[in-house]
Amino acid sequence: MLFIGCSKNLLKTNFTRYFTRIYTQVMFCLLAIFCASMMTHTAMAEPIKITLAAEDGWPPFADEFGSGISHNLIQQAFKQVNVEVSTIVVPYTRGLIMTERGTVDGVFNVTKEQSTQERFVFGNEPLFTVNASFFFAKTQTVIAKDKWQLPLGSVIGIIDGYEYGDELLQLINQRQLKIVKVNSQRQLINLLLVNRIDGAIMYDMVADVYIEQMGVKQDIVAQFMNHTSEIFVAFSKQNPQATELSLLLDKGLQQLKQQGHYQKLLVPLDF
């Protein structure tokens, strides 16, 4: 009887120890899983923070108040991939310089062409595509069906620092154009109205906004196209994460398209 009693006590003790050991191991595993989960959640919750330069004179895409199609589209695309965007509103050429120097992580509304690809990092997905045309005052008679038929020696106005397609230099040389550079769309339109220039290259949707604001819709006309541009965010080569950011933006834009939100974000706001 004593032997049986001792055996029972020993069995009970061993079982208690075994159960305690298993319980401790299970709790340790659960605690490890919980900690790993919390760390993952914290990591996912912390967004990448970047600063982009936004030009101040290209409505309906970007205006002096930091509003427009580009602002909304970029914010929403980066939100898809947990990137938080701050913007600094500056003149376009200043935004390019700031990006080149690495003062900001990127600048938006940049045409992806040979000259800009040498200076910046681009993704594969454009924000959108826009057309630029040759605009003339209706008082000016221009006998030309396209830009390659412009009268020799025509005086053409453009915005200083803007991109106008890889063909522009060839066009200038072939048609012996005289280029006048100004700092704003309003200046271009005013020069057209007083016949100081023969024509001006302006992006269609941008020109429409300023022509409407200036009340000269009956005086200015787009006659033929200059080029079509794919518009991007240009990222700084000074930022080691530039390629990663461009790929994240690509992914965000693709997700917006898959969700059916992309086209809605291209609708112009009221300016």
Side-chain angles (χ1 to χ4, degrees):
M1 292 296 294
L2 180 62
F3 175 77
I4 295 174
C6 289
S7 297
K8 287 182 178 180
N9 289 335
L10 181 60
L11 181 63
K12 183 176 181 181
T13 301
N14 288 339
F15 178 79
T16 301
R17 288 176 179 174
Y18 175 78
F19 179 81
T20 302
R21 184 168 66 252
I22 295 298
Y23 177 82
T24 301
Q25 290 176 348
V26 169
M27 292 304 295
F28 179 81
C29 290
L30 290 175
L31 180 61
I33 292 171
F34 175 77
C35 291
S37 175
M38 289 299 294
M39 289 176 65
T40 302
H41 177 75
T42 301
M44 291 178 62
E46 285 296 328
I48 299 171
K49 296 183 179 181
I50 64 171
T51 301
L52 300 179
E55 66 178 299
D56 60 359
W58 213 52
F61 304 103
D63 65 14
E64 68 270 31
F65 305 110
S67 300
I69 293 172
S70 297
H71 286 272
N72 294 335
L73 183 57
I74 291 166
Q75 290 282 355
Q76 291 302 315
F78 269 130
K79 186 177 180 181
Q80 300 294 314
V81 291
N82 202 32
V83 176
E84 185 179 303
V85 181
S86 298
T87 55
I88 299 175
V89 179
V90 295
Y92 181 67
T93 51
R94 189 182 303 171
L96 294 176
I97 293 170
M98 291 172 70
T99 302
E100 271 195 303
R101 292 177 177 174
T103 308
V104 293
D105 299 300
V107 55
F108 51 83
N109 295 340
V110 181
T111 300
K112 187 179 182 180
E113 58 182 43
Q114 183 177 348
S115 63
T116 55
Q117 288 186 80
E118 294 170 355
R119 302 166 62 189
F120 306 107
V121 174
F122 291 89
N124 298 312
E125 291 282 335
L127 298 174
F128 45 78
T129 301
V130 291
N131 295 325
S133 299
F134 277 85
F135 286 77
F136 301 90
K138 288 186 177 179
T139 55
Q140 294 275 51
T141 303
V142 180
I143 304 174
K145 293 181 180 179
D146 59 42
K147 63 183 181 180
W148 303 107
Q149 296 182 2
L150 281 166
L152 292 175
S154 295
V155 180
I156 302 299
I158 63 174
I159 301 293
D160 189 20
Y162 277 19
E163 303 90 35
Y164 292 97
D166 290 324
E167 295 179 339
L168 181 61
L169 185 58
Q170 180 185 352
L171 179 66
I172 291 171
N173 292 331
Q174 182 173 320
R175 306 310 297 168
Q176 301 172 26
L177 303 180
K178 298 175 182 177
I179 300 299
V180 174
K181 297 181 180 181
V182 298
N183 295 320
S184 73
Q185 310 288 338
R186 291 181 182 274
Q187 286 177 286
L188 280 182
I189 294 170
N190 283 326
L191 289 177
L192 282 174
L193 293 172
V194 298
N195 297 323
R196 292 284 299 277
I197 56 177
D198 299 315
I201 307 174
M202 293 187 285
Y203 286 89
D204 295 3
M205 289 180 66
V206 179
D208 289 345
V209 171
Y210 282 101
I211 288 171
E212 181 70 29
Q213 287 179 354
M214 296 172 69
V216 293
K217 196 172 182 179
Q218 304 303 316
D219 304 307
I220 304 292
V221 61
Q223 192 155 328
F224 42 78
M225 185 179 295
N226 178 59
H227 74 298
T228 298
S229 279
E230 290 186 331
I231 304 299
F232 288 80
V233 173
F235 294 96
S236 175
K237 288 188 174 183
Q238 303 300 318
N239 185 342
Q241 294 182 309
T243 299
E244 179 187 350
L245 291 172
S246 70
L247 294 175
L248 284 172
L249 180 56
D250 283 352
K251 183 178 179 181
L253 289 168
Q254 291 166 358
Q255 289 182 3
L256 288 177
K257 291 175 182 178
Q258 292 168 1
Q259 296 164 4
H261 299 321
Y262 175 78
Q263 289 297 331
K264 297 176 183 178
L265 292 168
L266 295 183
V267 177
L269 303 176
D270 293 329
F271 281 90

